[in-house]
Amino acid sequence: MVPLGTAALNGESDNVLERYRRWRRQVWDERSHVERMEFQSLVVVRFMVWFFFLAWLLMPLGSVLADPSGVTLVLGALLLICAAAQCVLAWKLLPLAFDQYLGRGTVPVRGWLLAGALMVGTIALDLALEAFGGLDDEFTVFVALFAVIPYSAERCLTLPLRTYQQWSVAAAVVVPGAFALVGVRDMTLLGYGLGVYGGAMICLASIRCSAWSLGVMWQAERGREAQARLAVAEERLRFGRDLHDVMGRNLAVIALKSELAVQLARRGRPEAVEQMIEVQRIAQESQKEVRDVVRGYREASLGSELAGAQAVLTAAGIDCRVTGAEAADELPTAVHAALGWVVREAATNVLRHGDASRCSVALRVAEGRAVLRVENDGVGDEGSDGSEQSGSGLVGLRERLAVVGGWLEAGPVEGGVFRLVAEVPVGVGGRAEPTARTNENEVAR
């Protein structure tokens, strides 16, 4: 049965809303903060060209052509076609111009040649209307002002600043000179010159400044990525040094004693068995030392994780405030490690999901329980960011906390805030041993 009336409207509304949510996930939520800024800037610049087309050409021309002659009608129609073609071409070239300014590509030469030809054609039709259409000078000044906007919007991003300014001055001289040849006199010529130069400067002040801001933001983003890669590389080097210090001597001893056992065995000496027993003992001790190194590397210390989370989030431009860190020293080892993992996962979620500008981490120990609360803003509507933050990582945290008798709650709350609360009984020192055995099993696997 085909739904009718309210049911049909509700179904259509749900489909539209679902399409919007899918578009938002694909086009907006999956982008980084800088990518969102670039997308927004590009949309504004593209529509700015069409805004000038409507305000400075289409609406005035419509009133002028209300009672036109034959020549005026033909010239006006050609002018609209040429100006609209300028806007369409600018819509396609502006993303390429942004890429060229940011060092990610170039604009083809034929694109510039076509854009310049359309600009010259628009100005030529404006001259023809001035000469044969008998129109007011005020209208033709606005047309000349618009004619340079689409071309300037693209060229201000690709020409050197000095070259672009020289081109603007030349255009502000050539265009009034052309109108002087068709009979325009007095202060009207100054209006043409100021209009053309002003249009070029509007593009320089708005579009190039936006692209410059994007360039600075991309440099900062690349700097943060490089800093993160350096931090990972430094940690790998540290772990490699620790492992080398532990295993280097033992492996050298094992190699020497194995060689000695081979020589003794070839000579039929019974001491070869004693040497191999010693090799076995050293190998077992080395295995235990490797477990200790890996366990120490993998276990999370609450105090160090609180300090590390604050440093990492602050470096990412997020205002992170930590309170109650001194209470971490009072907690048992098992609680220390479990809450340390919670802080690590929460900081990772803040960096990976949403668009947080502030984050607060509070630790409180009272009435035999330790409570850790982490809150950050930047959670989108409909739970888009919050659902992502409540992913498989938090499932693992709940399992870790369950070992020490704790629990965890996480999800978006009012005001676009994501809240994570973990609570663990303090008197669970006796439960530290299962956690350690679990880690040993993981290392053994």
Side-chain angles (χ1 to χ4, degrees):
M1 180 179 295
V2 179
L4 299 175
T6 305
L9 292 177
N10 290 338
E12 183 179 356
S13 176
D14 292 341
N15 292 333
V16 172
L17 185 59
E18 181 62 29
R19 286 196 295 269
Y20 165 74
R21 290 174 178 172
R22 185 165 54 252
W23 173 87
R24 177 178 172 179
R25 287 194 299 268
Q26 296 175 353
V27 179
W28 191 255
D29 291 342
E30 296 298 328
R31 298 173 182 263
S32 66
H33 181 67
V34 182
E35 289 173 337
R36 294 177 185 178
M37 289 293 297
E38 181 174 346
F39 177 80
Q40 180 179 354
S41 299
L42 187 57
V43 169
V44 171
V45 170
R46 279 174 153 180
F47 280 103
M48 184 185 75
V49 175
W50 283 101
F51 170 79
F52 287 136
F53 172 77
L54 295 175
W56 290 352
L57 192 144
L58 185 59
M59 295 177 62
L61 186 61
S63 60
V64 169
L65 297 179
D67 187 19
S69 63
V71 175
T72 305
L73 181 61
V74 173
L75 293 176
L78 293 175
L79 178 61
L80 284 177
I81 294 173
C82 191
Q86 278 189 277
C87 296
V88 172
L89 184 61
W91 185 278
K92 295 182 178 180
L93 292 183
L94 278 171
L96 301 177
F98 267 84
D99 288 340
Q100 182 169 334
Y101 183 86
L102 297 174
R104 301 182 305 207
T106 57
V107 181
V109 177
R110 62 179 181 273
W112 298 132
L113 295 177
L114 182 57
L118 289 174
M119 179 187 66
V120 173
T122 302
I123 296 176
L125 290 170
D126 190 26
L127 282 168
L129 281 172
E130 175 69 32
F132 304 107
L135 301 181
D136 295 336
D137 293 336
E138 181 179 356
F139 168 73
T140 54
V141 168
F142 276 107
V143 174
L145 175 58
F146 163 78
V148 300
I149 292 291
Y151 184 79
S152 300
E154 305 148 9
R155 294 302 273 170
C156 71
L157 296 174
T158 56
L159 287 176
L161 187 59
R162 182 183 297 274
T163 304
Y164 179 78
Q165 291 175 339
Q166 293 173 349
W167 173 85
S168 302
V169 173
V173 174
V174 172
V175 172
F179 277 92
L181 295 177
V182 297
V184 178
R185 295 291 183 269
D186 303 330
M187 296 300 292
T188 306
L189 293 176
L190 180 61
Y192 283 107
L194 294 177
V196 171
Y197 186 77
M201 291 300 104
I202 287 175
C203 295
L204 182 66
S206 58
I207 300 175
R208 191 178 179 108
C209 288
S210 298
W212 176 81
S213 300
L214 285 173
V216 173
M217 294 178 67
W218 276 116
Q219 289 179 0
E221 185 76 9
R222 288 191 290 269
R224 284 194 292 268
E225 292 176 356
Q227 184 179 8
R229 288 194 296 269
L230 288 174
V232 172
E234 183 179 356
E235 182 63 17
R236 288 175 176 172
L237 289 174
R238 186 197 67 80
F239 181 68
R241 288 194 300 267
D242 292 346
L243 194 61
H244 178 271
D245 294 340
V246 170
M247 294 298 298
R249 181 184 64 84
N250 291 347
L251 290 176
V253 174
I254 288 174
L256 290 175
K257 287 188 172 293
S258 299
E259 183 179 357
L260 177 59
V262 170
Q263 296 296 331
L264 292 174
R266 287 176 177 175
R267 297 174 185 177
R269 301 285 297 274
E271 292 87 348
V273 176
E274 296 179 359
Q275 295 297 326
M276 290 308 300
I277 292 175
E278 184 67 13
V279 168
Q280 182 182 20
R281 184 188 64 81
I282 296 174
Q284 291 174 345
E285 290 182 356
S286 300
Q287 186 179 17
K288 180 179 180 297
E289 290 178 354
V290 170
R291 288 198 191 102
D292 293 338
V293 171
V294 175
R295 185 186 306 118
Y297 179 74
R298 294 182 63 187
E299 284 186 350
S301 171
L302 181 55
S304 61
E305 289 298 332
L306 287 172
Q310 186 175 23
V312 170
L313 294 177
T314 301
I318 300 173
D319 182 17
C320 181
R321 301 182 182 275
V322 177
T323 57
E326 63 277 4
D329 299 333
E330 306 172 4
L331 301 177
T333 303
V335 178
H336 227 276
L339 292 182
W341 281 105
V342 174
V343 173
R344 180 181 297 182
E345 181 66 20
T348 302
N349 284 341
V350 173
L351 289 173
R352 292 179 57 189
H353 309 304
D355 189 15
S357 61
R358 61 178 179 82
C359 177
S360 63
V361 183
L363 176 65
R364 180 173 58 88
V365 180
E367 300 179 357
R369 306 190 71 83
V371 180
L372 178 70
R373 181 189 299 267
V374 182
E375 295 183 353
N376 65 276
D377 63 353
V379 176
D381 296 331
E382 303 297 331
S384 59
D385 298 327
S387 62
E388 290 179 355
Q389 293 193 50
S390 303
S392 58
L394 298 187
V395 175
L397 290 182
R398 290 188 176 93
E399 295 174 355
R400 289 180 181 273
L401 293 176
V403 174
V404 294
W407 55 267
L408 180 142
E409 290 183 354
V413 296
E414 296 180 359
V417 174
F418 187 88
R419 178 181 298 164
L420 181 148
V421 179
E423 183 172 328
V424 181
V426 174
V428 294
R431 300 195 181 191
E433 185 178 355
T435 305
R437 285 202 298 266
T438 301
N439 289 335
E440 290 181 0
N441 293 334
E442 292 176 355
V443 174
R445 285 197 295 270

